[in-house]
Amino acid sequence: MSTRTAVITGASSGIGAATARRLAAEGYRVVLTARREDRIEALAAELTEAGHEAVAHVLDVTDPAAVTAFADSLGDSVDVLVNNAGGALGADPVATADAADWRTMYEVNVLGALHVTQALLPRLRRATDGGTVLMVSSTAGLATYEGGGGYVAAKHGSHVMAETLRLELCGEPVRVIEIAPGMVRTDEFAVNRFGGDKDKADAVYAGVAEPLTADDVADTIAWTVTRPPHVNIDLLVVRPRAQASNYKVHRTS
Ligand code: 8X3
């Protein structure tokens, strides 16, 4: 059987990097994309050194021309696309939120995934056992919370894109999977959200014994994409045990 290819966006850190490691271990040739060349080159080198097939390709998913050029650089078919690039900016109420933050979040989380999905779809359709589009959304894509506004709106966009694409591709050999993680502690998500304010970022996880890790989510992603091709895990919500909803989080302090 020829090696299957998985393209992962936002592979420079967090869930994207963990997913790249995990899919490489599952035998995929992984194509790592992100804006930060040093990060993805280092990860590709690490995986290659470990005997896996990995290449890095610098990519800003919000740049449609760059996305098209990236797609053209790939082989005839792609088996898996993990739309992971995204993130949150700010936690301000709607009344005072920065419209520029909202615009950026929509650009990256929604339009970025749209550009990459559109560009790779012809190759995903040609995958030997059928292609997989996997959208890393969020529990923020399913319910809102105060201060979540712009991020929640963007992640609802990711959720709707996955649901709509699944309807539109029904009958074609491409499945659409959505993974909606809740509280995941990564090096960058909350720090980026709060503009580098480490204290505010730490407060998100304060007293939570075991937030999910990027590896936990990568494990879930790997499970869904390694199901037989006729099995479509439409939507999988994954939270730490200490988080029963966006609102109900058990904190020990
Ligand atoms: C991250 C989950 O609760 O910070 O996607 O919005 S939350």
Side-chain angles (χ1 to χ4, degrees):
M1 195 177 83
S2 62
T3 305
R4 293 154 300 163
T5 297
V7 172
I8 300 128
T9 68
S12 53
S13 70
I15 293 170
T19 300
R21 287 193 174 92
R22 182 59 197 268
L23 293 184
E26 295 282 348
Y28 284 88
R29 171 180 177 269
V30 290
V31 181
L32 318 177
T33 76
R35 286 172 301 178
R36 291 177 293 182
E37 185 172 17
D38 55 336
R39 295 280 195 118
I40 52 173
E41 287 290 355
L43 180 52
E46 171 200 312
L47 293 172
T48 304
E49 181 75 16
H52 304 302
E53 284 190 66
V55 292
H57 191 114
V58 174
L59 184 64
D60 177 352
V61 294
T62 66
D63 178 346
V67 172
T68 301
F70 164 65
D72 290 345
S73 78
L74 296 168
D76 190 53
S77 68
V78 168
D79 300 86
V80 176
L81 164 62
V82 179
N83 277 312
N84 166 72
L89 289 175
D92 302 307
V94 172
T96 56
D98 184 342
D101 284 347
W102 283 50
R103 192 172 293 117
T104 301
M105 287 188 280
Y106 195 82
E107 284 273 350
V108 180
N109 290 285
V110 185
L111 299 183
L114 178 68
H115 296 322
V116 182
T117 302
Q118 287 181 334
L120 265 58
L121 210 39
R123 284 172 173 77
L124 289 157
R125 286 182 167 119
R126 289 196 287 267
T128 308
D129 293 324
T132 299
V133 176
L134 188 145
M135 199 77 74
V136 180
S137 64
S138 168
T139 48
L142 307 174
T144 194
Y145 55 90
E146 296 95 325
Y151 180 64
V152 168
K155 285 301 189 182
H156 273 66
S158 312
H159 172 63
V160 167
M161 197 195 313
E163 298 257 284
T164 309
L165 186 63
R166 193 179 304 114
L167 291 172
E168 292 169 351
L169 294 180
C170 185
E172 295 197 50
V174 181
R175 60 185 175 180
V176 181
I177 296 170
E178 179 183 355
I179 304 291
M183 183 182 279
V184 186
R185 184 164 203 160
T186 61
D187 291 341
E188 296 186 337
F189 177 80
V191 175
N192 287 342
R193 180 173 210 164
F194 294 109
D197 187 327
K198 189 94 176 39
D199 291 340
K200 278 190 183 170
D202 286 345
V204 172
Y205 312 102
V208 180
E210 285 179 293
L212 294 180
T213 66
D215 286 340
D216 293 325
V217 181
D219 186 45
T220 303
I221 290 171
W223 179 75
T224 62
V225 304
T226 56
R227 293 312 85 209
H230 69 286
V231 177
N232 196 134
I233 309 296
D234 286 9
L235 168 65
L236 202 155
V237 178
V238 52
R239 301 182 194 267
R241 191 173 57 196
Q243 184 187 34
S245 79
N246 290 4
Y247 273 103
K248 189 168 176 66
V249 179
H250 179 70
R251 297 181 193 269
T252 55
S253 56

